[in-house]
Amino acid sequence: MNADARIANLPYTAIQEALASGEPVVAILPCGATEAHGPHLPLATDVIISEGIAAFALPKLEDKNIRTFVLPPLAYAPAEYAAEFKGTISISVGAARAVLLDIARSLKAQGFAVLALANSHFDPANVTMLREASETIAKDVGLKVAFADFTRRKLAEKLTDEFKSGACHAGQFETSLVIAARPELVDEAARAQAKDNPASLTEAFAKGAKTFKQAGGPQAYFGYPAKATGEEGVETYEKMSDALVEEILAKLKS
Ligand SMILES: [Zn+2]
């Protein structure tokens, strides 16, 4: 990621200068989780993927002369489906929502133009929270929110077949994205052992499953980790970052 885009690595004067320019300034918030992702992927998988989406979006925004900073990621989120697996840290919807609203208030007070949410943690409780909080932020805080919601059909259609099938937790889709960004964090021996698991998580959710195990994922993964490739990961980052940039541009024009 562009060294001068990570807000946490900069002195306050760099942000002050950007905000004083009179041009709109965008803040991207990578939304992740600390959650079990099979025996082969790290607990930080969703943080890594969301930071990857932000990293791919940056040069595209730079090309359009849009000043953008990337915030430190949200590493804690509602993650009850994975709570039975060690290492998962699930927080309440209320706590997650409160943090997000406070971040938005802080950005608004400083003069940021848009808060962009780069989310890859598709736990239904988390997605619902992000949708509702986005509306509240726009209405009550008065800050524009660009939320590329990949669980909506319009955006989901652009992604891979496995993603669309709903067998999309720590499978080919997410494993490819982690291979592309942090290959050293993928346990290749465990990946080789991870048999195909075509069980659809989204169908299981709809039928009332409350945990990954109930949904047919005894090892916290669904889909086809063995088929993952770094090339697919890069392709998916391109598509996801395109969608995020499109949302940001639309909000800047609105
Ligand atoms: Zn994930």
Side-chain angles (χ1 to χ4, degrees):
M1 193 181 294
N2 189 336
D4 64 7
R6 279 185 196 259
I7 212 168
N9 291 349
L10 297 166
Y12 80 90
T13 47
I15 323 305
Q16 181 175 277
E17 204 175 293
L19 289 167
S21 72
E23 297 297 321
V25 182
V26 174
I28 302 180
L29 179 63
C31 303
T34 300
E35 179 185 55
H37 276 79
H40 60 295
L41 292 182
L43 293 157
T45 288
D46 293 345
V47 172
I48 292 166
I49 294 172
S50 295
E51 289 198 308
I53 298 169
F56 273 72
L58 275 174
K60 297 173 185 179
L61 292 162
E62 237 166 59
D63 277 355
K64 299 190 181 298
N65 291 318
I66 296 164
R67 194 65 202 269
T68 308
F69 294 104
V70 179
L71 300 169
L74 290 181
Y76 300 101
E80 283 301 313
Y81 284 95
E84 63 199 325
F85 296 95
K86 301 288 184 256
T88 299
I89 309 288
S90 181
I91 65 170
S92 69
V93 167
R97 189 175 182 281
V99 169
L100 186 54
L101 289 179
D102 280 350
I103 291 170
R105 286 189 194 102
S106 183
L107 293 169
K108 170 68 182 176
Q110 294 177 46
F112 280 85
V114 173
L115 167 61
L117 304 178
N119 178 54
S120 66
H121 177 48
F122 302 119
D123 182 299
N126 189 58
V127 172
T128 303
M129 183 277 293
L130 292 174
R131 279 181 193 163
E132 289 173 1
S134 297
E135 282 173 25
T136 305
I137 291 166
K139 201 160 62 96
D140 298 347
V141 180
L143 179 66
K144 292 173 180 176
V145 183
F147 176 29
D149 183 354
F150 297 103
T151 65
R152 297 279 196 206
R153 183 166 297 168
K154 192 184 96 185
L155 292 184
E157 267 170 3
K158 299 180 180 178
L159 300 178
T160 68
D161 287 341
E162 187 200 72
F163 183 84
K164 283 179 275 190
S165 80
C168 57
H169 180 83
Q172 180 176 350
F173 177 83
E174 287 194 315
T175 304
S176 294
L177 290 164
V178 179
I179 291 173
R182 300 290 303 275
E184 75 281 10
L185 295 183
V186 180
D187 184 331
E188 286 297 342
R191 180 160 88 98
Q193 302 266 310
K195 293 200 185 78
D196 295 351
N197 179 11
S200 170
L201 201 48
T202 45
E203 274 170 31
F205 287 166
K207 284 184 191 147
K210 293 278 176 271
T211 69
F212 283 161
K213 282 183 187 167
Q214 285 176 9
Q219 287 188 285
Y221 76 88
F222 298 80
Y224 309 88
K227 293 196 180 128
T229 65
E231 291 73 35
E232 178 185 312
V234 170
E235 239 171 74
T236 300
Y237 278 126
E238 291 291 1
K239 288 178 186 161
M240 293 178 103
S241 59
D242 279 347
L244 184 64
V245 168
E246 217 173 282
E247 282 295 325
I248 291 169
L249 295 176
K251 290 296 168 182
L252 282 171
K253 274 190 215 131
S254 69

